[in-house]
């Protein structure tokens, strides 16, 4: 790579980062629905036509911000999982570590959490390119459950007969090596995890739950037990 080419690449990365940072400031102040490329360009002292060379539309910028948010959340969860692994913790504790990392990230990044798990942005549909980043936490929870299934074992949850066919379909799509009843419980736990975090972040726990850290850990433990994880040695 030539020196000039390398300098242009670095300059493009710096401008792209500045655009994203300003967009995140707009998210915090105005919300995703009011994100405006013209406003971003104005705050950065750019003409709109120059900004369009980086992000051709508002949706392209939103997609980049969504992927960044999912990746940041995923990295936090994966770091917590690695720390639990280094401490030789049992899968049950790995699960709790990941859930608590999700909560910490959300509390530290409320506007980015709202972007990916809040109300849909009018007129925007997330493209398939967001899926790999969005799946990181879910795949991590599946992996923890898989480690338990192939290691110390799982206490399989009950599965109603009328849900068997759907459970088998989900298992085939998401984790063919796990029992269908476990996959069904995993999907429910995944939804409940983000519901718990969203309730705290968006104020639904106000005047209801005061010691929210302790409450959240208890709830995460219940989710772990729900998928069949049990406390104990590795």
């Amino acid at each position: 790579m030539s020196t000039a080419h390398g300098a242009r690449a670095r300059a493009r990365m710096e401008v792209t980062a500045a655009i994203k940072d300003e967009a995140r400031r707009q998210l915090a102040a105005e919300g995703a629905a009011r994100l405006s490329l013209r406003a971003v360009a104005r705050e950065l002292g750019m003409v709109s036509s120059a900004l369009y060379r980086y992000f051709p539309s508002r949706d392209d910028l939103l997609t980049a911000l969504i992927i960044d948010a999912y990746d940041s959340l995923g990295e936090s969860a994966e770091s917590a999982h690695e720390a639990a692994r280094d401490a030789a913790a049992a899968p049950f504790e790995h699960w709790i570590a990941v859930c608590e990392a999700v909560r910490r990230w959300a509390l530290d990044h409320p506007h980015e959490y709202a972007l990916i798990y809040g109300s849909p942005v009018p007129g925007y549909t997330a493209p398939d390119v967001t899926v790999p980043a969005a799946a990181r936490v879910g795949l991590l929870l599946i992996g923890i459950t898989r480690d338990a299934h192939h290691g110390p074992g799982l206490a399989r949850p009950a599965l109603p007969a009328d849900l068997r066919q759907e459970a088998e379909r989900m298992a085939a799509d998401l984790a063919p090596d796990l029992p269908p009843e476990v996959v069904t419980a995993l999907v429910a736990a995944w939804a409940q995890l983000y519901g718990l975090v969203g309730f705290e972040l968006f104020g639904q726990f106000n005047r209801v739950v005061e010691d929210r850290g302790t409450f959240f850990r208890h709830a995460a433990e219940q989710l772990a037990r729900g998928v069949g994880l049990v406390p104990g040695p590795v």
Side-chain angles (χ1 to χ4, degrees), residues 112-130:
E112 291 170 79
Y113 187 88
L115 175 64
I116 56 178
Y117 289 114
S119 299
V121 179
Y124 174 81
T125 300
D128 289 345
V129 71
T130 61

Side-chain angles (χ1 to χ4, degrees), residues 32-34 57-60 62-63 66 119-127:
R34 300 188 64 181
S57 70
R58 180 210 68 161
D59 285 4
D60 291 310
L62 270 176
T63 295
I66 287 168
S119 299
V121 179
Y124 174 81
T125 300

Side-chain angles (χ1 to χ4, degrees), residues 92-93 95-97 99-100 103 196 211-225:
F92 184 91
E93 290 301 326
W95 177 284
I96 304 305
C99 291
E100 291 187 325
R103 175 178 178 263
L196 284 163
D211 187 353
R212 294 172 186 171
T214 302
F215 176 83
F216 181 86
R217 182 178 177 91
H218 169 73
E221 289 174 349
Q222 294 302 106
L223 295 181
R225 291 186 173 93

Side-chain angles (χ1 to χ4, degrees), residues 7-223:
R8 285 195 298 271
R10 286 194 298 274
R12 184 174 183 84
M13 290 174 61
E14 290 171 0
V15 174
T16 299
I19 292 169
K20 289 180 178 179
D21 286 344
E22 176 55 35
R24 292 186 186 100
R25 283 190 285 272
Q26 285 197 20
L27 289 179
E30 304 287 345
R34 300 188 64 181
L35 180 64
S36 163
L37 289 183
R38 290 184 180 274
V40 171
R42 183 174 61 248
E43 290 299 321
L44 294 176
M46 299 173 65
V47 295
S48 298
S49 58
L51 190 146
Y52 292 141
R53 291 199 293 270
Y54 294 86
F55 296 100
S57 70
R58 180 210 68 161
D59 285 4
D60 291 310
L61 178 53
L62 270 176
T63 295
L65 296 176
I66 287 168
I67 291 172
D68 284 353
Y70 277 130
D71 277 334
S72 177
L73 172 59
E75 289 165 8
S76 295
E78 288 160 6
S79 294
H81 181 235
E82 285 302 313
R85 194 182 290 276
D86 290 344
F92 184 91
E93 290 301 326
H94 291 193
W95 177 284
I96 304 305
V98 168
C99 291
E100 291 187 325
V102 169
R103 175 178 178 263
R104 284 194 303 272
W105 185 90
L107 295 177
D108 289 341
H109 304 84
H111 304 294
E112 291 170 79
Y113 187 88
L115 175 64
I116 56 178
Y117 289 114
S119 299
V121 179
Y124 174 81
T125 300
D128 289 345
V129 71
T130 61
V131 172
R136 288 174 71 166
V137 172
L139 291 175
L140 197 56
L141 295 175
I142 289 173
I144 292 168
T145 307
R146 179 179 290 118
D147 288 344
H149 180 57
H150 295 297
L154 291 168
R156 294 192 186 188
L159 181 68
D162 60 356
L163 190 55
R164 171 64 59 178
Q165 184 174 356
E166 176 65 4
E168 290 175 349
R169 185 201 61 78
M170 287 193 291
D173 287 346
L174 299 173
D177 59 329
L178 290 178
E181 56 268 36
V182 172
V183 175
T184 302
L186 271 168
V187 173
W190 171 69
Q192 291 172 69
L193 168 62
Y194 290 112
L196 284 163
V197 173
F199 259 52
E200 179 174 1
L201 196 63
F202 302 137
Q204 282 89 347
F205 281 158
N206 291 350
R207 293 182 292 180
V208 177
V209 180
E210 294 185 0
D211 187 353
R212 294 172 186 171
T214 302
F215 176 83
F216 181 86
R217 182 178 177 91
H218 169 73
E221 289 174 349
Q222 294 302 106
L223 295 181

